[in-house]
Structure formats: structure tokens, C-alpha cells
Amino acid sequence: MSQEDKNITWQQHNVTKEMRQKLHGHKSFVLWFTGLSGSGKSTIASEVEKMLYKRNHSTMLLDGDNVRHGLNKDLSFSKDARTENIRRIGEVTKLFVESGTIVLVAAISPIAADRDAVRSLLSKEEFVEVYIDCSLIECEKRDPKGLYKKVREGLITNFTGISDPYEAPVSPEIIVKTDLLGVNECAEQVINYLVSKKYIS
Ligand SMILES: Nc1ncnc2c1ncn2[C@@H]1O[C@H](COP(=O)(O)OS(=O)(=O)O)[C@@H](OP(=O)(O)O)[C@H]1O
Ligand SMILES: Nc1ncnc2c1ncn2[C@@H]1O[C@H](COP(=O)(O)OP(=O)(O)O)[C@@H](O)[C@H]1O
């Protein structure tokens, strides 16, 4: 059933996204960090957010782990639940982009079609896909939360990269190789991209 059929209309308001962006003094868009568990999504997103904050930019970091404590606490790690997780994070992202905020999302988001669905919610330049590229071997070696150990002990099933799929982006805007570069260099790479493409000055 369409929204019109449900008697829901689209309300126009006085203050627009463009007016909010002007107030913030910068464009609004999302940096969508995708990658395996332990690849460095949270670390790099947080470092980039700190750099943007130092430039007086308004940001919001949505971390998959954190969102699953509240908004998405009803969702499991089944394929459908992961899709719903990303759909909801995508809709929240759209609201924050409307608010004039720079959004940073750090979520595994393993299914390419789910990420593309979020991309299609936004205008072309508003979705910046950042592939946090790190080998499974290195992620497992890091194992910052001890999850890989639990997987190997048979305590976690359906784990991304081991017993569940991860579809790497085919043409992401940015590829960050966290097993080759240090944290600061990786974050600088993202900031340099944003400057070179005139997202920020
Ligand atoms: N089965 C399974 N597979 C993958 N990850 C798992 C799983 N169970 C729990 N965790 C923890 O949940 C974090 C991933 O949540 P996301 O919302 O980012 O995942 S997803 O996008 O819905 O796939 C993930 O966080 P990161 O390690 O930061 O990626 C883990 O801490
Ligand atoms: N270049 C790097 N970029 C990001 N994280 C790195 C890097 N080198 C080592 N690490 C470490 O790898 C781990 C990544 O964990 P985390 O950011 O939570 O990953 P994810 O959010 O993808 O699960 C952290 O312990 C971090 O200190």
C-alpha cells in the first residue's frame, strides 16, 4: 500500500536542508564505513569525526554496535535482520543529512544491495562509501572484542566473513587499507578526499 493510500501526505516546512547547511557552514552527507568486524570501522570513523569536530563541523557517528543497544535492539544477525538494521540506520542517516549534519556510519553492512538501497535514499553526492579494507587474517589477529575467539570456540554462529557473507564494495568512493596504514594516515586519507572533492574546505 502506498503512503497516499494510507492518507499520509508529505509536509513542507519553512526551514529547508539548504538553510540548515548554511547555518552549519558546510554541506551535509554521510561517510558510510563498511568492512569486516575488527577491520577498523569504529576506530577510523571516530578519528575522522574528531578531525571534523576540530574543524568546527557538526557531526553524528552512528555505530552499528551502539545502535543495536537501542533503536535496533530487537534485531538479530539473520540476513533479514541485517537488512532491516541497515534500512533503519539508512533512514536515520537521511534525517541527519536533512538536519545539515555530517553523518558517519560504522556498520558492517555486509550486503551490497542494502548499502545501495541507502545510497538511493540520498542524492548522488550525499553518499560516500568508505571501504575499510583489511584481511580476515589481520581482523582475527586483532580480535579487539574477542569475538573471533568465540566464533572458533563455536559460541557464535553466522559470523560475518566466516560463516556469513561479506560483499566488498565494487566501486566505493574511498578504499582505506587499515592493514597497511596507521590509524592517523587512514583518517587523513578520508579527510583529504573530502577536501579534494570540496565536501569540506
Ligand atoms: N554474528 C555476528 N556477525 C557480525 N558481527 C556480530 C555478530 N554478532 C555480534 N556482532 C557484533 O555486532 C557488530 C556488528 O553490528 P552491525 O550492526 O554493524 O552489523 S550488520 O551491519 O547488521 O551486519 C560487530 O561490531 P564490529 O566488530 O564493530 O563490526 C560485533 O561487535
Ligand atoms: N590502521 C588501523 N585502522 C584502524 N584500526 C586499527 C589500525 N591498526 C590497528 N587497528 C586496531 O584494530 C582494531 C579495530 O577495531 P574496531 O575499530 O572496533 O573495528 P570495527 O569497528 O571494524 O569492528 C582496534 O583495536 C584498532 O586499534
Side-chain angles (χ1 to χ4, degrees):
M1 195 190 283
S2 76
Q3 298 310 91
E4 284 75 23
D5 293 339
K6 286 191 251 169
N7 299 316
I8 297 168
T9 54
W10 192 262
Q11 297 291 327
Q12 298 296 337
H13 295 126
N14 290 320
V15 179
T16 63
K17 175 170 68 180
E18 288 69 29
M19 290 160 75
R20 297 188 196 104
Q21 288 176 339
K22 204 167 170 206
L23 195 66
H24 286 288
H26 54 76
K27 293 177 185 168
S28 58
F29 55 91
V30 61
L31 286 166
W32 190 281
F33 296 83
T34 173
L36 293 170
S37 177
S39 59
K41 301 179 298 297
S42 301
T43 302
I44 303 303
S46 184
E47 194 61 29
V48 171
E49 185 180 34
K50 190 171 78 183
M51 291 175 174
L52 291 171
Y53 177 83
K54 283 186 180 162
R55 288 169 179 250
N56 291 322
H57 287 16
S58 302
T59 57
M60 183 63 193
L61 172 47
L62 302 172
D63 197 299
D65 256 331
N66 294 355
V67 179
R68 280 176 175 276
H69 278 95
L71 176 68
N72 291 349
K73 68 176 170 192
D74 57 320
L75 300 177
S76 70
F77 288 92
S78 70
K79 184 172 188 301
D80 286 353
R82 288 183 199 256
T83 295
E84 176 60 10
N85 180 42
I86 298 310
R87 189 193 71 77
R88 289 185 201 170
I89 296 175
E91 291 289 350
V92 173
T93 294
K94 186 176 167 70
L95 293 174
F96 272 111
V97 171
E98 280 292 320
S99 81
T101 306
I102 298 173
V103 189
L104 302 96
V105 172
I108 296 179
S109 40
I111 308 300
D114 296 344
R115 298 191 300 267
D116 289 345
V118 179
R119 188 187 279 276
S120 69
L121 284 176
L122 300 164
S123 65
K124 193 178 180 319
E125 70 285 357
E126 284 174 345
F127 187 90
V128 180
E129 191 170 36
V130 186
Y131 176 30
I132 300 297
D133 186 3
C134 184
S135 70
L136 181 63
I137 291 170
E138 176 62 20
C139 291
E140 185 160 358
K141 211 184 290 171
R142 291 176 181 171
D143 204 6
K145 298 175 214 155
L147 295 175
Y148 285 94
K149 185 168 178 285
K150 284 190 183 173
V151 173
R152 298 301 179 192
E153 289 167 355
L155 299 173
I156 305 177
T157 53
N158 301 335
F159 199 77
T160 307
I162 296 180
S163 40
D164 241 29
Y166 177 75
E167 298 172 4
V170 175
S171 48
E173 277 71 16
I174 311 174
I175 301 175
V176 178
K177 293 187 173 291
T178 65
D179 46 7
L180 296 183
L181 302 173
V183 173
N184 196 59
E185 281 173 296
C186 291
E188 288 283 4
Q189 189 191 337
V190 177
I191 294 291
N192 290 343
Y193 175 89
L194 296 178
V195 172
S196 74
K197 298 289 179 186
K198 300 194 167 35
Y199 281 93
I200 60 173
S201 48

